[in-house]
């Protein structure tokens, strides 16, 4: 393994040279043309009518330039696709269209059904892309973490955080929250994930109690994950290189949704014309095919991206500081480590092995709890091991003792290499109202 000495986080200049190998073929000229045509048709529909508050908000959003952030635009496209799918559900059509009393209405219903299928496919592609990349980022970071209880605790913290986030979404949906409300919360949660990634890099926030337990994590990794989403950090090069085509697609899908909203809202008073249906079909075909092409391209870029350094390249194993202790347990003797735990939900964790020679050796190991009255409870039953790694979450305050037993041995001393810790509860901070938004 190569040494970590002299390594630094990946720079924008390095990424620029990498992205030169992955040029994105320009979007079809039809994107610009059809966006303009759909926008023009929507503008005509707005004449001589009073817009609802929701429609006015959608008009302003469609007319504004999209935010210049790739991740935010991904979520914005996902939101608009879901809104469009909602509009294209037959149960949400105007009653006259649901009845399909004319040949023209039946033909339009068939078209809307095909369009809904195309958006469903695009939505699944995007959901898979986002889920896969989220796992890739986290698992790559975890490659550098000590492969013991510390890494386990960070994974558990993430799983707990994700469960809490899903519970928030479920509560919002069950209380009647709109698609827009749900995506506002999803984006807020995405920003919280970024903050947590940065906190992991600087060992603050939810990871503050773990700071002294992150011995052995290469500083180059901590620096990188702290800086990855900075405005002038590594991701800025990606935003400048690949952002513009995505921003154009965001504008396109917003205008498609606006046109559908106004058309279906005025259906009984002003039925859609055949040439408008043709333009709509072409616009949806172009948007979904170009959006899926962009997503698949970005998936390839992420999968091969060097800005997440591999453990082999980083020499992470060699670069880690060894924080194990070593002791010799004579034949017929025992060795113990005790912790006084003040808070429930603390973690008692251990990792040990025996130095082996020509004969395989083992040692007895058990964990017991003693309360304030001196009453003892066996937490981990006695068993003989050559090595073991484990942890448990405390449910009671008091004294915990880890005991290694070599009393059964008549001749052999045991050289024990071990690491044990008592880690206080890892909890998410409760933000004040002023701290929620950054």
């Amino acid at each position: 393994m190569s040494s970590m000495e002299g390594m630094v986080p990946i720079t924008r200049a390095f990424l620029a040279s990498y992205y030169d190998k992955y040029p994105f073929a320009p979007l079809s000229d039809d994107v610009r043309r059809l966006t303009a045509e759909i926008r023009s048709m929507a503008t005509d529909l707005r004449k001589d009518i009073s817009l609802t508050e929701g429609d006015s908000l959608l008009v302003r959003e469609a007319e504004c330039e999209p935010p210049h952030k790739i991740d935010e635009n991904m979520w914005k496209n996902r939101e608009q696709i879901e809104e469009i799918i909602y509009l294209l559900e037959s149960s949400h059509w105007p009653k006259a269209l649901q009845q399909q009393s004319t040949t023209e209405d039946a033909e339009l219903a068939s078209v809307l059904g095909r369009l809904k299928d195309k958006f469903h496919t695009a939505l699944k592609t995007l959901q898979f892309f986002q889920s896969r990349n989220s796992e890739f980022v986290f698992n790559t970071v975890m490659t550098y973490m000590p492969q013991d209880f510390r890494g386990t605790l960070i994974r558990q913290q993430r799983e707990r955080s994700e469960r809490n986030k899903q519970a928030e979404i479920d509560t919002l949906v069950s209380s009647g929250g709109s698609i827009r409300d749900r995506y506002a919360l999803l984006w807020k949660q995405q920003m919280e994930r970024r903050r947590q990634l940065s906190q992991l890099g600087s060992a603050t926030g939810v990871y503050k109690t773990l700071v002294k337990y992150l011995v052995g994590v290469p500083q180059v990794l901590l620096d990188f994950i702290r800086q990855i989403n900075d405005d002038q950090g590594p991701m800025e090069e990606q935003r400048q290189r690949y952002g513009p085509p995505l921003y154009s697609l965001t504008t396109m899908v917003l205008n498609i949704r606006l046109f559908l909203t106004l058309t279906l809202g005025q259906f009984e008073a002003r039925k859609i014309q055949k040439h408008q249906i043709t333009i709509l079909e072409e616009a949806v075909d172009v948007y979904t095919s170009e959006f899926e092409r962009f997503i698949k391209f970005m998936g390839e870029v992420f999968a091969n991206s060097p800005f997440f350094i591999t453990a082999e390249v980083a020499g992470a194993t060699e670069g880690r500081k060894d924080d194990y202790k070593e002791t010799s347990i004579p034949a017929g003797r025992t060795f113990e480590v005790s912790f006084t735990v003040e808070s429930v939900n603390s973690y008692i964790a251990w990792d040990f092995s025996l130095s082996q020679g020509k004969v395989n050796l083992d040692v007895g190991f058990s964990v017991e709890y003693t309360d304030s009255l001196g009453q003892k409870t066996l937490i981990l039953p006695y068993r003989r091991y050559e090595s073991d790694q484990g942890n448990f979450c405390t449910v009671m305050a008091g004294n915990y003792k880890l005991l290694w037993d070599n009393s059964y041995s008549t001749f052999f001393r045991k050289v024990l290499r071990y690491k044990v810790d008592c880690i206080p509860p890892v909890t998410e901070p409760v933000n004040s109202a002023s701290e929620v938004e950054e």
Side-chain angles (χ1 to χ4, degrees), residues 395-435:
V395 295
M396 299 173 288
N399 182 267
Y400 290 82
K401 181 166 67 176
L402 286 68
L403 178 69
W404 287 267
D405 176 33
N406 195 32
S407 62
Y408 59 86
S409 179
T410 305
F411 303 106
F412 296 104
R413 70 181 180 90
K414 309 293 170 63
V415 178
L416 177 70
R417 185 172 181 269
Y418 71 98
K419 174 171 55 181
V420 295
D421 268 308
C422 175
I423 303 175
V426 179
T427 58
E428 296 191 46
V430 178
N431 293 331
S432 66
S434 63
E435 292 176 316

Side-chain angles (χ1 to χ4, degrees), residues 171-412:
T171 299
L172 177 64
V173 171
S174 63
S175 65
S178 65
I179 294 175
R180 184 181 185 86
D181 294 335
R182 177 157 55 88
Y183 273 90
L185 178 55
L186 283 168
W187 179 242
K188 177 183 174 183
Q189 291 178 345
Q190 185 69 359
M191 292 299 96
E192 177 61 25
R193 291 185 184 96
R194 285 191 180 182
R195 282 192 291 271
Q196 289 189 357
L197 188 63
S198 177
Q199 288 167 356
L200 179 57
S202 55
T204 59
V206 296
Y207 300 102
K208 187 174 183 179
T209 55
L210 291 178
V211 62
K212 66 178 180 180
Y213 304 103
L214 292 178
V215 174
V217 180
Q219 188 61 42
V220 61
L221 175 73
L222 298 180
D223 291 343
F224 181 69
I225 61 178
R226 186 175 63 250
Q227 301 168 9
I228 184 173
N229 286 307
D230 288 353
D231 287 342
Q232 295 301 319
M235 295 300 287
E236 180 62 22
E237 183 63 31
Q238 185 185 100
R239 288 189 281 267
Q240 292 192 10
R241 187 72 62 104
Y242 302 125
L246 179 58
Y247 309 154
S248 295
L249 291 169
T250 302
T251 299
M252 188 177 193
V253 74
L254 277 163
N255 279 279
I256 290 174
R257 179 190 163 199
L258 176 60
F259 174 72
L260 279 170
T261 299
L262 296 175
T263 293
L264 296 175
Q266 301 178 48
F267 183 79
E268 296 183 8
R270 187 176 181 179
K271 290 194 174 183
I272 186 172
Q273 302 299 306
K274 285 189 176 181
H275 76 279
Q276 294 175 317
I277 296 175
T278 300
I279 293 173
L280 175 63
E281 282 190 280
E282 187 179 3
V284 172
D285 285 344
V286 169
Y287 168 76
T288 54
S289 62
E290 288 290 75
F291 185 67
E292 288 176 43
R293 179 171 73 90
F294 180 82
I295 292 299
K296 291 173 182 177
F297 170 83
M298 292 304 296
E300 181 180 357
V301 172
F302 282 152
N304 297 296
S305 176
F307 49 72
F308 297 115
I309 312 167
T310 66
E312 180 179 358
V313 171
T317 302
E318 184 177 334
R320 288 175 182 156
K321 180 180 177 181
D322 191 344
D323 53 341
Y324 286 81
K325 296 179 181 179
E326 191 172 286
T327 190
S328 177
I329 309 176
R333 304 291 294 274
T334 62
F335 172 72
E336 64 181 52
V337 175
S338 295
F339 293 106
T340 298
V341 175
E342 299 179 353
S343 303
V344 297
N345 296 323
S346 297
Y347 278 87
I348 303 290
W350 63 88
D351 185 5
F352 68 85
S353 61
L354 295 180
S355 298
Q356 302 289 0
K358 294 181 179 180
V359 178
N360 286 341
L361 303 174
D362 58 23
V363 66
F365 179 66
S366 61
V367 181
E368 67 178 26
Y369 163 76
T370 305
D371 65 18
S372 58
L373 300 177
Q375 184 174 351
K376 296 182 179 182
T377 302
L378 191 62
I379 301 297
L380 182 71
Y382 178 93
R383 182 181 164 189
R384 284 158 65 166
Y385 301 86
E386 293 181 8
S387 63
D388 188 48
Q389 180 185 108
N391 69 81
F392 67 92
C393 183
T394 63
V395 295
M396 299 173 288
N399 182 267
Y400 290 82
K401 181 166 67 176
L402 286 68
L403 178 69
W404 287 267
D405 176 33
N406 195 32
S407 62
Y408 59 86
S409 179
T410 305
F411 303 106
F412 296 104

Side-chain angles (χ1 to χ4, degrees), residues 35 38-47 49-66 76 79-80 83 180 250-263 266:
T35 299
I38 287 286
R39 179 186 286 120
S40 177
M41 293 193 304
T43 299
D44 289 340
L45 290 171
R46 288 159 48 193
K47 294 177 180 177
I49 65 167
S50 297
L51 297 176
T52 66
E53 182 179 349
D55 291 346
S56 297
L57 182 62
L58 181 56
V59 168
R60 291 195 296 272
E61 195 169 8
E63 290 178 344
C64 289
E65 187 175 355
K76 181 62 66 178
E79 176 187 353
Q80 302 312 311
E83 292 279 13
R180 184 181 185 86
T250 302
T251 299
M252 188 177 193
V253 74
L254 277 163
N255 279 279
I256 290 174
R257 179 190 163 199
L258 176 60
F259 174 72
L260 279 170
T261 299
L262 296 175
T263 293
Q266 301 178 48

